[in-house]
Amino acid sequence: MANYAVPHKAVLQDGLRPGSVIRIRGTVPANAKRFYVNLLCSEHSGADTALHCNPRLDSAEMVFNTYQEGAWGREERSPSIPFQQGQPFDLLLIVADDSYKAVAGDAVFHRFTHRLPLQLVRVLEVGGDVQLQSVLIF
């Protein structure tokens, strides 16, 4: 199975719209501490980030946030973390009219309300302690 280099960036030519789904498949390495999935508004360093999804295996929590005009917003924390060290995962980010739904297995484990307009999202970035097998946007 092909592995992507990490960090991996994909330009979203058509952007995102309600109904878009991002599917990220990978494996969390046995010694992983944290990884992230970002939806960025540009390819530039320090770009606004519409969604920062940050599984923190070292503290057993999921953190969601935005980064706008050089500052992080208010963190939202998910009480469960659907990722385990040494295990494969399948993460879906489903774009709804009002939010992003983060799904692992068959369950929505967090809903993050849009803070930046959906039409600004241009780049998907995945990085940190993760082995990335596939990234699909449909």
Side-chain angles (χ1 to χ4, degrees):
M1 191 176 287
N3 280 341
Y4 290 73
V6 176
H8 171 73
K9 279 190 179 184
V11 176
L12 306 171
Q13 297 294 354
D14 302 325
L16 295 174
R17 62 192 173 286
S20 295
V21 177
I22 299 167
R23 188 179 81 196
I24 299 164
R25 283 190 167 159
T27 301
V28 179
N31 59 350
K33 291 182 172 46
R34 297 177 177 199
F35 68 98
Y36 58 86
V37 176
N38 290 332
L39 294 177
L40 306 172
C41 296
S42 80
E43 292 186 70
H44 300 106
S45 165
D48 283 358
T49 304
L51 174 67
H52 173 68
C53 172
N54 182 211
R56 297 180 178 178
L57 295 117
D58 55 349
S59 57
E61 61 189 344
M62 289 281 297
V63 174
F64 295 83
N65 206 342
T66 49
Y67 184 78
Q68 193 173 9
E69 296 174 6
W72 287 101
R74 181 184 50 81
E75 285 187 347
E76 293 181 21
R77 292 172 187 267
S78 173
S80 63
I81 181 167
F83 305 100
Q84 294 182 339
Q85 290 172 324
Q87 296 297 310
F89 67 87
D90 205 347
L91 170 65
L92 296 178
L93 294 174
I94 301 170
V95 182
D97 287 324
D98 62 341
S99 61
Y100 299 100
K101 292 187 284 191
V103 177
D106 293 329
V108 174
F109 63 89
H110 194 76
R111 184 182 286 257
F112 186 82
T113 301
H114 295 304
R115 297 182 191 172
L116 290 171
L118 196 51
Q119 57 270 27
L120 295 179
V121 176
R122 287 286 163 257
V123 179
L124 169 70
E125 177 185 48
V126 182
D129 300 331
V130 65
Q131 292 168 334
L132 197 54
Q133 270 96 39
S134 72
V135 177
L136 293 173
I137 295 131
F138 47 95

